[in-house]
Amino acid sequence: MHLAYPAVLAALLFCTGLYGVLARRNAILVLMSVELMLNAVNLNLVAFDVWLRDTLHSGQALTLFTIAIAAAEIGIGLAIVLAVYRNRGSSAIDRLRDTAETDTGTGTDAETDGHPATAGNGTAGHTKNAEATA
């Protein structure tokens, strides 16, 4: 068997998966694209194992390990996507940026930045910082 055929097929699969990761906005389609990329790696591992005629079949053993890792990745990834969908109503990746915690302004700035020069009510520290940067 020629090594070029599975290598070209694996390269096409990997490029398709990479395009899917970079271009898609839906989290489930991104996870499917990551799976395509992992399958391309598995195809290369098995093809090189057959081509090198390894007696230990280390390429196939590593492929089984990669399949187990991919299954765990999909399980955790789908659990996260379902949790986000239940909370937000959409699994769009662009909206995931909104889930980050923002500073609501409940504490003073001295508590958050840790500088003793800005201790107090927070307004004196802001004027000192503004004068220092000007």
Side-chain angles (χ1 to χ4, degrees):
M1 175 171 98
H2 294 288
L3 184 61
Y5 299 132
V8 168
L9 180 62
L12 289 174
L13 278 174
F14 192 85
C15 289
T16 304
L18 185 65
Y19 173 74
V21 166
L22 295 177
R24 299 292 179 209
R25 301 285 183 231
N26 191 349
I28 294 175
L29 292 177
V30 170
L31 286 173
M32 288 174 55
S33 298
V34 169
E35 286 296 316
L36 269 177
M37 294 168 65
L38 287 172
N39 283 332
V41 170
N42 288 339
L43 182 62
N44 268 334
L45 285 171
V46 171
F48 275 100
D49 184 50
V50 169
W51 184 64
L52 293 173
R53 293 184 174 90
D54 188 14
T55 57
L56 295 176
H57 299 292
S58 57
Q60 293 177 14
L62 193 57
T63 298
L64 289 175
F65 179 71
T66 307
I67 290 171
I69 295 296
E73 176 255 336
I74 280 295
I76 293 172
L78 282 177
I80 291 171
V81 168
L82 284 175
V84 168
Y85 183 77
R86 285 181 184 165
N87 288 334
R88 296 286 179 180
S90 174
S91 63
I93 293 177
D94 293 339
R95 293 188 181 178
L96 289 180
R97 195 174 36 188
D98 299 335
T99 61
E101 293 183 16
T102 58
D103 185 24
T104 58
T106 57
T108 62
D109 290 336
E111 295 172 353
T112 57
D113 63 358
H115 294 294
T118 59
N121 62 1
T123 57
H126 284 297
T127 57
K128 288 180 185 176
N129 287 339
E131 292 172 357
T133 57

